[in-house]
Each structure stands twice: as structure tokens, then as C-alpha cells.
Amino acid sequence: MAYIAGFRVALPSEGAILIQLKYSINDLHNEVMKASLIPPKEPCMGNLLWNIKSFKLYCEEIKNSLEKLRSLGYWASAFPEGDGVAFKHELNNKSDSEMLADFQMCFDWVEIFPAKSNDSNEELAELETDRELRCIVIVPLEKIFIEETFEVGPYKFFCRRQFDKKPFDRYADYESEYLQFETLIFYKDLLRLNRNQNYNDQVIGKCISLAEHALDMIRYQYSSFTRKEFTPNPAGQIDNGFFSIKIIPNEFTHIKSTNIIGIPRPLSVSNNWLGPQVEGLSGQEVGYLALVHSGLINDQMSLSVVGALRSCRQSFYSLGSESQYLNLIFTLDGLVNPANWKGWKHRTYVSALLSGGNSEQFEKILPRYNYLYSEIRNRLVHEGKDFYELEVNSDELCDELYEYIKKILKLIVIHEFKAINEMTKYAEYLLKSAEYKDICLRITSSVPLSFGKKPQTFSW
């Protein structure tokens, strides 16, 4: 298959009409058969283009129509991919309108209209539905050092080329570390790649969002708010500030592997140090996340975890300490879902989960979490304070909240919670025990009194 200046030229093979694609016959009922005609322009052949899905079961009709066309002096052959026909008139003495009339007569079972452009990919995109194509996606990684290539779930992290023991197995030319995975991408978006920057940015945006889920596992194990230099650059962001990815279609199509560059995020940040040194990923929580991203765990709790780690990621790349902290507070609340509980009922609920069933830990965590929420969060929100006015170390406080979020993830994995209400029942069970009740009473009475406030009455 040759591809010149937006036109496709078919190999002269009649067997190419037979298309191996998987679609339900029911999808083809009551569908209007439409095709777009691009006349030949030297040195390129003309194209009659259609949606593969619509024409899959019409091999015999296509063959008969091509025979009629050849009887009128045309050379014509179907594309191997099954999405149209390449043609030319042997005598080259017909106008565009005459060729359109010939095609409408020979393909009288198809509604054929003149193409709006001379770009066959753009015309195919207009005819496409929301069909998706499985693709290999490669995303470069900057400000990270991966000692050796490794896999976690659906993701494969490649080390730098100079350290790769099998450099000839690499699908990308990147010298740096990169991430590789498979995903589904709308075929019409692939057809428009590198023709419209908006489509480039849209596809880049999807791919780097998926790649960030892989980097969430790196950040979970290696990053810290007190050591921000151990945070990698956002996925796909290269040294000039642009985002880059490579897409390799992994199904039968005329589209070749494509490198695309864009700016799906006009504002971004970059690590001005070296980033984390990654020796691999391990632990129960990483194993759980690998199963989630492989689609083997898909429940309410796992969706909350994915959302929580995405939110933590955004805190890492936020430039303001106040926004980092408040986002982490919000993330913790979103993960544990404290219903409409407020005040001490809210604090005791979250602290019970953070204690993991250890009453001694609960006694330490409850007053501390109350301080982080009531004395820090509330003053930032309700009094409009900045961190410099509070005379505290914002990085240490952010890291403390991040560790709380990691504690909840570990709790979810250990107890195999699948739904929010399971976690809520677990916390209520703890809080109704005599030991936890006694701790609640002592702390919720003494802390308010130390500030000259009246203790709040509540019960579990």
C-alpha cells in the first residue's frame, strides 16, 4: 500500500476485498451506505472511501460494481484494509463530474458524494463512527532514573537506551526512560493525527492521563513532599516543555506508527533536580493497583483509590503550598467518604480508619488529625491565612496527610474493601468498642477545654 500526498494506492489484488474485522451483523441493519469520492490528480490515483463497518458484508456487491466500473475503462482495486477503492481512468479523459456519475451508476446501491477535501484520511474520519482501535502507546519520561526495565500490570517501564540489555527490542527512538502500554483510541482521531493540532492535543491528553496512572505508582513508592526532588516530571513532558507520545496501531489498518507533539496542558511544572532513582515497584498496595489498572479489580473502592492518587499527583505538581495541603485534605475526605458528619464525629471516623484497629494509634492520631483539620485547614479556608502566617512547615504537614492517604490505601488492601459502606461499617465497629469510646470521650472533652471551648456532644 503506497500513501502519497493524502491519497492511498491499493495493491492490485482482488483478494484484498475480503476484510478480517469483527463486527456484529446486527450493527449493519438499516444503515445507509455512504461513500466519498476523491477524483484522481496526477500522480495520485482517485479514492472511493467508506466506513469499513458499514461495508463489511458487501464483498459480492463491491466485486460486481468494480466489474461494471472496469467495463467503462477504469482500473480499480479495493484497499486491503477494506475501507474503499483506488482507481484511475485508463484514458484519463473524464472530468470529475463524469467520474462521479459513473461511480454512482456502477455503485447504485451506495450514496456517493464528492469529497470535501483531497485528504483520504480526513474523508474516512468523517465517515467513521465511534469505532476504537487497539494501539501501543509510548510515553517518554523525564527526571527519573530507571535502573532496569520492568513491568507492573499493563505497564512496562523502560530504562535508558544506554543501560538496556535488549536495545533492539525497543519500539521507540527515545534515549530516555519511557513507558509503554496498550489502550483503545478512536479510529477517527487516529486518522486526523498530525493534521489538526486540536486532535493531536486530545489524543496526547488521553494517553498521558493513562500514563500518569502508572507514574502514580512510582510517586506512591518514591515521592515525598519533604523531598520534592524525588518527583518525576509529568508523563510525556520533554525538556522543551512540549508533550510527546508515539502511537503504534496494533490492529489491521493503513495507519503507520506516529510520533505526535503538542501542548495539551499550557501550564505545567518541571523538576529542576534529578528525580527518583527507581529500582522497581513492590508491595501489597502496588500489587493491588496493578490489578486495578489491568481491569481485574473494578469496584467502588478501587475507583475511589484511583481518584485519590490522581488528586495526590495534582498536589505534587501544584505550585502553592496552601493548594497542595487543602487538596490533600479534600482527597482524604473523598477517599474515606465521611458522609455528612462534621466536627468530632468526622474526626473520630477518619482517625479510627487511620488507626487500623490499633487503639494506641487511635489515641495518638485523633488529636493530631484534629489539629491538622481544625487548626490548619480551617484557618487556611475560613481565615484566609497563608502558611507563612501559621509558622508551620507546610511540606511536613503535606507529607503527613499524604502518609494518611497511604494508610487508608493499605487498609483497603488488607481488608479487601470493595465498597465505601464496608469501610464505614469497619470504622463504626471500632468506634463502638469500649476502648475506642473511652479514648473518644477523653480527647473530645480535653481538647476543646484547652481552647476554652465547650465539648461537643455526639455518639456512635
Side-chain angles (χ1 to χ4, degrees):
M1 172 67 65
Y3 193 81
I4 307 172
F7 292 82
R8 291 161 61 199
V9 181
L11 300 174
S13 170
E14 287 301 319
I17 297 174
L18 300 177
I19 312 159
Q20 287 93 32
L21 290 173
K22 300 174 183 177
Y23 291 107
S24 168
I25 295 176
N26 295 330
D27 291 340
L28 303 174
H29 291 336
N30 303 320
E31 189 168 0
V32 177
M33 313 301 289
K34 293 184 178 181
S36 174
L37 185 74
I38 302 177
K41 294 188 185 299
E42 289 296 336
C44 300
M45 292 187 180
N47 291 169
L48 178 66
L49 303 163
W50 54 63
N51 181 320
I52 296 176
K53 185 177 178 180
S54 301
F55 282 72
K56 181 184 182 295
L57 298 183
Y58 291 85
C59 295
E60 191 64 30
E61 288 84 349
I62 293 171
K63 181 180 178 181
N64 293 337
S65 294
L66 288 176
E67 289 174 356
K68 293 178 185 177
L69 201 59
R70 292 181 186 122
S71 70
L72 299 179
Y74 288 87
W75 180 93
S77 181
F79 294 133
E81 299 82 10
D83 52 3
V85 171
F87 71 91
K88 65 178 181 179
H89 193 266
E90 299 287 8
L91 300 178
N92 197 25
N93 62 355
K94 291 211 172 191
S95 67
D96 292 354
S97 59
E98 288 174 325
M99 284 188 281
L100 176 62
D102 288 344
F103 272 82
Q104 288 172 334
M105 178 181 67
C106 296
F107 285 82
D108 56 355
W109 51 282
V110 180
E111 181 184 334
I112 299 176
F113 51 85
K116 297 177 182 177
S117 71
N118 289 324
D119 187 331
S120 61
N121 274 2
E122 180 62 36
E123 293 301 312
L124 282 172
E126 288 292 329
L127 292 164
E128 267 297 327
T129 57
D130 288 339
R131 182 165 66 98
E132 294 179 307
L133 208 68
R134 182 155 291 281
C135 298
I136 296 171
V137 176
I138 296 173
V139 181
L141 304 176
E142 298 280 352
K143 303 298 182 180
I144 185 173
F145 177 73
I146 296 175
E147 293 191 350
E148 190 173 352
T149 298
F150 66 93
E151 292 185 59
V152 177
Y155 300 109
K156 189 170 185 177
F157 292 86
F158 281 80
C159 64
R160 295 178 191 178
R161 179 182 291 276
Q162 69 186 99
F163 302 121
D164 200 335
K165 297 176 182 178
K166 298 180 179 179
F168 299 107
D169 291 344
R170 296 166 76 98
Y171 287 169
D173 297 329
Y174 301 123
E175 294 296 325
S176 68
E177 289 83 355
Y178 68 81
L179 176 68
Q180 181 176 307
F181 58 93
E182 285 195 7
T183 190
L184 295 171
I185 299 177
F186 286 121
Y187 186 48
K188 59 185 176 185
D189 288 339
L190 291 173
L191 289 164
R192 288 179 167 131
L193 287 180
N194 289 329
R195 285 166 168 77
N196 184 310
Q197 190 59 47
N198 288 335
Y199 284 102
N200 276 16
D201 289 345
Q202 182 175 325
V203 174
I204 292 172
K206 172 181 178 174
C207 292
I208 63 176
S209 291
L210 293 172
E212 287 289 12
H213 291 312
L215 279 186
D216 283 339
M217 293 187 281
I218 296 287
R219 285 180 285 261
Y220 182 87
Q221 188 161 327
Y222 291 94
S223 298
S224 163
F225 286 91
T226 56
R227 298 294 303 273
K228 294 179 182 177
E229 63 271 24
F230 293 153
T231 302
N233 270 10
Q237 182 173 300
I238 51 182
D239 54 10
N240 62 4
F242 283 77
F243 287 80
S244 173
I245 63 170
K246 181 174 184 177
I247 296 177
I248 306 172
N250 207 18
E251 294 185 34
F252 190 46
T253 174
H254 69 280
I255 299 175
K256 308 304 180 187
S257 63
T258 307
N259 289 295
I260 56 176
I261 295 177
I263 311 180
R265 300 173 183 173
L267 295 176
S268 191
V269 296
S270 178
N271 187 343
N272 58 14
W273 196 240
L274 299 178
Q277 181 172 326
V278 177
E279 301 176 1
L281 291 169
S282 60
Q284 282 182 297
E285 299 96 295
V286 169
Y288 172 83
L289 292 170
L291 293 174
V292 170
H293 294 309
S294 297
L296 298 176
I297 296 178
N298 183 22
D299 51 45
Q300 184 187 31
M301 207 69 258
S302 65
L303 295 176
S304 293
V305 166
V306 170
L309 291 182
R310 178 188 60 211
S311 190
C312 290
R313 172 210 317 163
Q314 292 166 349
S315 281
F316 273 115
Y317 298 119
S318 175
L319 295 177
S321 298
E322 294 79 15
S323 59
Q324 287 179 348
Y325 184 86
L326 293 174
N327 188 49
L328 290 167
I329 284 281
F330 169 80
T331 302
L332 181 57
D333 269 357
L335 184 57
V336 301
N337 191 26
N340 294 319
W341 297 324
K342 298 179 181 179
W344 281 113
K345 190 150 191 176
H346 165 263
R347 305 313 181 261
T348 53
Y349 169 72
V350 176
S351 298
L353 291 173
L354 292 171
S355 75
N358 185 318
S359 60
E360 292 181 3
Q361 285 296 309
F362 178 64
E363 190 163 7
K364 294 177 182 178
I365 290 171
L366 180 55
R368 183 61 183 172
Y369 177 63
N370 180 68
Y371 167 78
L372 294 175
Y373 200 96
S374 300
E375 296 303 312
I376 304 298
R377 179 263 186 197
N378 286 352
R379 294 186 71 185
L380 292 174
V381 173
H382 301 301
E383 297 178 22
K385 297 290 186 181
D386 292 328
F387 265 119
Y388 79 89
E389 297 176 278
L390 302 182
E391 298 182 352
V392 294
N393 187 315
S394 60
D395 290 341
E396 290 180 357
L397 296 185
C398 284
D399 210 55
E400 195 169 353
L401 286 174
Y402 188 44
E403 290 301 318
Y404 281 176
I405 292 165
K406 292 164 76 171
K407 277 179 178 285
I408 297 299
L409 175 50
K410 189 171 184 177
L411 184 76
I412 291 167
V413 174
I414 290 173
H415 291 276
E416 300 181 353
F417 294 137
K418 293 179 173 57
I420 296 292
N421 68 327
E422 294 176 15
M423 189 162 60
T424 302
K425 289 177 181 177
Y426 170 78
E428 290 177 336
Y429 168 77
L430 294 176
L431 290 163
K432 289 176 181 178
S433 68
E435 203 168 7
Y436 273 69
K437 277 184 175 183
D438 179 60
I439 295 169
C440 282
L441 181 60
R442 280 191 286 106
I443 292 176
T444 59
S445 299
S446 62
V447 171
L449 289 173
S450 67
F451 288 94
K453 297 179 182 179
K454 184 179 179 181
Q456 182 188 41
T457 302
F458 73 98
S459 66
W460 283 100

